[in-house]
Structure formats: C-alpha cells, structure tokens
Amino acid sequence: MDDSLDDGEGATIELTRPREIRWLSAARSHVGRVRKINEDNFMERGEIGLWAVADGVGGERAGDRASALVVEALNRVGAPQTAAGFLAEVRDNLQAVNRLLRLESAAGDDGRVIASTVVTLLAFGQHFACAWAGDSRLYLCRNRRLQQITRDHSEVQELVDAGLLTPEQARTHPRANVVTRAVGAEDMLTLEMVQDQIRIGDLFLLCSDGLTKMIEDEEIAALLALRPIEAAAAQLIQTTLERGAPDNVTVVLVEAVAAEDG
Ligand SMILES: [Mn+2]
C-alpha cells in the first residue's frame, strides 16, 4: 500500500492523510400538540456541508416568516472555496436577513419584533464551525458522549451562569422562552461561534428548544444511539409528542461517516 511508510525497523507508520468524510443526515419537524402553526424551519445541504435550524418568534405568522427567511438566506450560500469564505457568506446572508426583519418591524404599526433564532453547522474539510444566535442548540455525540456545543442566548442561561438557577430549574422557568439574541432582534446581529475538528463517527444534533425543554440531555444521548439516524430523529420527535409538546419541535441529525464505507 502506498498509504504507509516503512520506518526501517519492520514497523509501519500510517500516513496521517485525513479520510474523506461523507455526510448522512435526517431531519424532522413537528408543530407539536398545542400550537397551530409551526414557526420552526430547517435546512439540510449535505452537498455543501451546511445545516441549520431556525425557530421564529413574533406570533401571527411573523415567526414562521422570520425562520423561513433565515433558511432561504442559507439556501443562497454557494459551494465554499475556503473555510473563511464559507463562514463569511453565512454571516453576511444572516446579517442581510437581520436588516430586512428590522426594516419590516420598523414599518409595522405595532412595533412588534419579528425575529428568529438560528443555529448553523458548517463542515469544510476536516473542520466544523457553528454560528448561532438564540436558544436553538447544537450538540455533538462523540464516542457515545453527548456535549452541548452551543450556549443558549437566553435570560435563564444568564441566571444559570450567575449561579442563580440550576440548568434543571432553567428548563421549566416561566421566562425560559425569552432569548437575548436572535436574527431581527437588534440592529446589528451578533452571532457566537465555535470551531473544532471533525472525527469520523461524529453525530451532530441541531434542534429547537421545543426538544430540549422536554427531554433531558441523558435521554437525548440514549435516543441518539438508535440507528439508522432516521429512527433516532423520529424517536426524538415521538418522545416530545408523548410529553405534550407545547412548542414546535425540530431536529436535524448529521453524521460523519468515512467516504469509503459504502
Ligand atoms: Mn421554540
């Protein structure tokens, strides 16, 4: 094999050429058991390495329009040439939606904010980036361990950070739905960002708060072990519905597999 080197002492050193990654994804969104319309939106673009969940706020059809505009803007992102260019295009497109929503809100006569959370996952080569605003989350399940990559931009998260609430209390707090950042919430959108390496076998979960308010992390981790990932996505939604699903709920699962595996 020309992928290996002989070290001269009989042992073989594998060249650390990174393995090609192929992406599998599965997504589900449900209006839930209480709301009349689904204000969540999502997108899967495995061919360019971009996935997103957006959760609209505003009511009376403003929220679903806001989250739809976020997804439309991300659908306009072209095939990336560089990691930096990819990220810049995602940010610029989201900033453009932010400006549009600010104008619409200012033009309305009720002063109502029309906004949407957004959580994005970008994959480029062997790295991923996550840019987000609000309380839609990205989790990474690696070696069966689930870690929350994002940090909620919400009132209750600030209280948790200050040591005034436990995460469990935050989940059921009366103001648990109040986000402190969103696309359309302020004149300048501030996205938070995390970047790291991808490993073969990584399973990402993007989700709206309709999931995480109803299912604890340990249980999410257990359901993410289901295969195929379509079954895991379906079971996450099903479990939320069984618990009353007061909010819309959306999940996008994204798994990195080796390109040569089938
Ligand atoms: Mn929600």
Side-chain angles (χ1 to χ4, degrees):
M1 289 287 287
D2 50 9
D3 266 10
S4 60
L5 290 177
D6 195 305
D7 69 357
E9 294 177 6
T12 299
I13 300 166
E14 289 288 322
L15 282 180
T16 56
R17 193 173 68 184
R19 291 199 289 168
E20 278 292 306
I21 295 167
R22 188 165 63 89
W23 294 101
L24 304 177
S25 72
R28 292 286 171 98
S29 186
H30 199 287
V31 66
R33 297 267 191 238
V34 175
R35 304 255 172 118
K36 289 200 167 55
I37 54 170
N38 192 347
E39 298 188 307
D40 287 358
N41 268 292
F42 67 90
M43 55 153 285
E44 306 171 86
R45 294 182 67 199
E47 70 282 6
I48 69 160
L50 180 61
W51 301 265
V53 165
D55 179 350
V57 288
E60 291 173 45
R61 303 218 72 102
D64 63 324
R65 176 169 152 70
S67 62
L69 285 171
V70 165
V71 164
E72 274 172 34
L74 295 172
N75 271 325
R76 284 194 295 272
V77 172
Q81 305 302 314
T82 66
F86 192 15
L87 195 52
E89 195 175 350
V90 166
R91 301 179 86 125
D92 289 350
N93 287 20
L94 291 174
Q95 206 65 249
V97 178
N98 193 78
R99 282 193 297 274
L100 179 64
L101 291 175
R102 296 303 289 172
L103 287 172
E104 282 193 10
S105 163
D109 43 19
D110 54 3
R112 186 176 59 188
V113 169
I114 307 166
S116 176
T117 72
V118 65
V119 59
T120 62
L121 172 65
L122 294 75
F124 188 83
Q126 306 294 314
H127 291 84
F128 74 87
C130 171
W132 82 98
D135 64 356
S136 296
R137 293 180 179 174
L138 177 70
Y139 287 87
L140 168 58
C141 191
R142 177 177 283 173
N143 301 325
R144 297 184 158 271
R145 211 177 65 82
L146 186 72
Q147 53 180 132
Q148 187 180 330
I149 303 293
T150 53
R151 194 178 56 87
D152 293 350
H153 301 132
S154 67
E155 270 191 15
V156 289
Q157 183 61 47
E158 290 177 2
L159 295 173
V160 170
D161 292 344
L164 298 170
L165 284 184
T166 65
E168 181 48 38
Q169 288 170 325
R171 245 161 40 91
T172 54
H173 194 276
R175 291 184 65 79
N177 289 320
V178 182
V179 295
T180 52
R181 286 193 213 179
V183 182
E186 287 178 26
D187 286 340
M188 193 68 189
L189 169 66
T190 313
L191 294 165
E192 190 167 346
M193 214 186 54
V194 168
Q195 301 187 59
D196 206 343
Q197 286 207 329
I198 299 160
R199 296 193 197 152
I200 298 292
D202 280 353
L203 176 62
F204 295 92
L205 164 67
L206 299 89
C207 62
S208 61
D209 68 327
L211 180 82
T212 49
K213 296 243 169 56
M214 304 309 288
I215 310 186
E216 287 180 52
D217 287 5
E218 298 73 42
E219 216 175 349
I220 290 174
L223 294 173
L224 288 178
L226 294 171
R227 288 295 181 279
I229 58 173
E230 286 78 8
Q235 199 53 51
L236 286 166
I237 298 289
Q238 185 56 35
T239 304
T240 306
L241 292 173
E242 282 163 8
R243 293 178 190 178
D247 193 6
N248 312 141
V249 54
T250 301
V251 300
V252 177
L253 295 183
V254 184
E255 186 177 24
V257 299
E260 63 267 28
D261 293 353

